[in-house]
Amino acid sequence: MADTADQKKTNQKKTDQKKTDQKKTDRRRRRVRLLPVPAWWPLPVAAALGLAAGGAYGVLKAPEYAATSYVVAVPDDTTEPATALGFAQAYARIATSSSTLAYAQPRAGISARRLRTQVRAETSPESPMIAITGTSKSPTEAADIANAVADALSLSSNQAAKNTGVQLLLFNQAVAPSEPASPSATVSGAVGLCAGGLLGGLWLLARPGRSRRPEGRSEEQPVVEEYASLPAQGDHNETKEKESVR
């Protein structure tokens, strides 16, 4: 009986010792820090965010159509061609004026305020041609806007053709486009990816430099593998006890 009690006490001591050793091992492993995050992590994160934002924009935004009508400034017999070129530049500026849009509004079928935001006029310094582009979520409405403004501009300018020696003629009418002018979800995602990667790279270049640590292992950051390769203290003690019993 005495031997049994002593054996129980010995086993209890071994169990307590194992628990104590296990707690010490756990404390040591808690002190081990994870490997540091790579310094270039903002680059892939920013690129992924840009890709997601660009793709979402392309999917959620309604497609927009654009149609273009062309008018050309033609001089009369008494006017030089250079004069027509100058008037083309002037008429391109007044294509989106309130007076021109007031003429175009009935045919376009939308309000003058909305019409102002959905039409633009462009010209070249080397050509007396004016490109008038209408934009809308409907392809037919985009063509109607461009043609309405082109007709209104031609009508208002030709009223003064006797004095200016230059008249505007319709060169080509706008037709309803078959494909939207706005970028697709794929293109928007690619643009967002490039923009995000660019911002991430700029952030890496512009961030303040970190202080360099001396080469070698830091005391505050021990290597995880070192603790993993060492046997637990409790297992080591148990091995010693087995050898002593033998």
Side-chain angles (χ1 to χ4, degrees):
M1 295 295 292
D3 294 338
T4 304
D6 293 339
Q7 188 176 1
K8 288 182 178 180
K9 290 181 179 179
T10 303
N11 293 336
Q12 185 64 30
K13 289 181 179 180
K14 290 180 180 180
T15 303
D16 295 341
Q17 184 64 31
K18 288 181 180 180
K19 290 181 179 180
T20 303
D21 295 340
Q22 186 64 33
K23 289 180 180 179
K24 291 180 179 179
T25 304
D26 293 340
R27 289 174 184 173
R28 290 177 181 176
R29 287 177 179 175
R30 287 195 192 104
R31 294 175 184 174
V32 178
R33 296 183 179 180
L34 298 176
L35 295 177
V37 180
W40 45 265
W41 69 265
L43 184 60
V45 171
L49 291 177
L51 175 62
Y57 176 80
V59 171
L60 298 178
K61 188 179 184 300
E64 189 176 68
Y65 296 86
T68 304
S69 178
Y70 296 92
V71 293
V72 60
V74 180
D76 58 15
D77 297 337
T78 61
T79 307
E80 296 181 358
T83 304
L85 183 61
F87 273 101
Q89 302 290 330
Y91 285 138
R93 293 187 182 93
I94 66 173
T96 55
S97 64
S98 300
S99 59
T100 304
L101 297 181
Y103 279 111
Q105 187 268 332
R107 181 180 175 182
I110 59 177
S111 63
R113 179 179 299 179
R114 181 182 168 190
L115 184 61
R116 186 185 300 275
T117 61
Q118 293 183 220
V119 66
R120 65 178 183 270
E122 300 173 346
T123 186
S124 171
E126 300 176 356
S127 172
M129 185 173 293
I130 305 172
I132 300 174
T133 303
T135 59
S136 176
K137 296 180 180 179
S138 170
T140 304
E141 187 178 69
D144 291 341
I145 290 174
N147 291 328
V149 176
D151 290 342
L153 182 63
S154 300
L155 180 61
S156 61
S157 63
N158 291 339
Q159 291 177 352
K162 293 181 179 181
N163 299 326
T164 61
V166 176
Q167 63 177 347
L168 288 182
L169 298 180
L170 183 62
F171 184 79
N172 186 21
Q173 280 192 337
V175 295
S178 58
E179 296 181 358
S182 57
S184 61
T186 304
V187 176
S188 298
V191 173
L193 176 64
C194 296
L198 178 61
L199 292 176
L202 292 176
W203 189 88
L204 289 176
L205 295 175
R207 68 174 181 171
R210 296 182 179 179
S211 58
R212 296 182 179 179
R213 295 181 179 179
E215 296 182 357
R217 190 186 305 169
S218 175
E219 295 180 0
E220 297 181 359
Q221 189 177 351
V223 182
V224 178
E225 288 79 1
E226 181 178 350
Y227 286 94
S229 61
L230 294 177
Q233 187 174 356
D235 298 340
H236 186 65
N237 294 337
E238 186 176 356
T239 304
K240 285 186 177 181
E241 290 176 0
K242 288 182 180 180
E243 291 178 354
S244 62
V245 171
R246 291 179 183 175

